[in-house]
Amino acid sequence: MSEQLLEQARDAVEGQIDFEGQRLAEMLTTVLLGAAGIIAFLAGYATQDIRLALYVGLAGTALTFLVVVPPWPFFNKNPENWLPASNATSTTGISIDVDGQKVG
């Protein structure tokens, strides 16, 4: 039971993100931080309060952190199928030529 819980926790912390998920995370970061900056500027300008602008900017940054940093499942919708690992000691049928001499 405890091994199963530990394995689930390990999978959650490991952070599997595919290439499309990386692209999505980058786009979300850009959009959310840009929107937070614009909203912070407008809120600070409208109220003439720099502290409010800083708090709104900080809240937008925290929201961006919560959306982008954890390995949410929607960041791993298109996983890559990698080739299986080959045995390095088994080099039968492979010949490598280096400067005209057979190496392997």
Side-chain angles (χ1 to χ4, degrees), residues 41-77:
F41 175 77
L42 292 175
Y45 184 77
T47 61
Q48 294 294 307
D49 187 7
I50 190 72
R51 185 177 292 170
L52 176 65
L54 290 174
Y55 285 146
V56 170
L58 182 63
T61 303
L63 175 68
T64 303
F65 180 85
L66 289 174
V67 169
V68 174
V69 172
W72 299 110
F74 62 86
F75 287 135
N76 197 20
K77 284 186 176 179

Side-chain angles (χ1 to χ4, degrees), residues 72-90:
W72 299 110
F74 62 86
F75 287 135
N76 197 20
K77 284 186 176 179
N78 304 307
E80 287 290 325
N81 294 325
W82 298 97
L83 293 175
S86 63
N87 190 357
T89 60
S90 161

Side-chain angles (χ1 to χ4, degrees), residues 9-69:
R10 189 176 296 136
D11 288 342
V13 173
E14 188 176 301
Q16 295 291 328
I17 296 177
D18 59 18
F19 294 119
E20 292 298 321
Q22 289 176 0
R23 185 174 293 122
L24 177 62
E26 182 182 356
M27 185 203 50
L28 284 172
T29 301
T30 303
V31 169
L32 289 174
L33 286 178
I38 291 170
I39 292 170
F41 175 77
L42 292 175
Y45 184 77
T47 61
Q48 294 294 307
D49 187 7
I50 190 72
R51 185 177 292 170
L52 176 65
L54 290 174
Y55 285 146
V56 170
L58 182 63
T61 303
L63 175 68
T64 303
F65 180 85
L66 289 174
V67 169
V68 174
V69 172

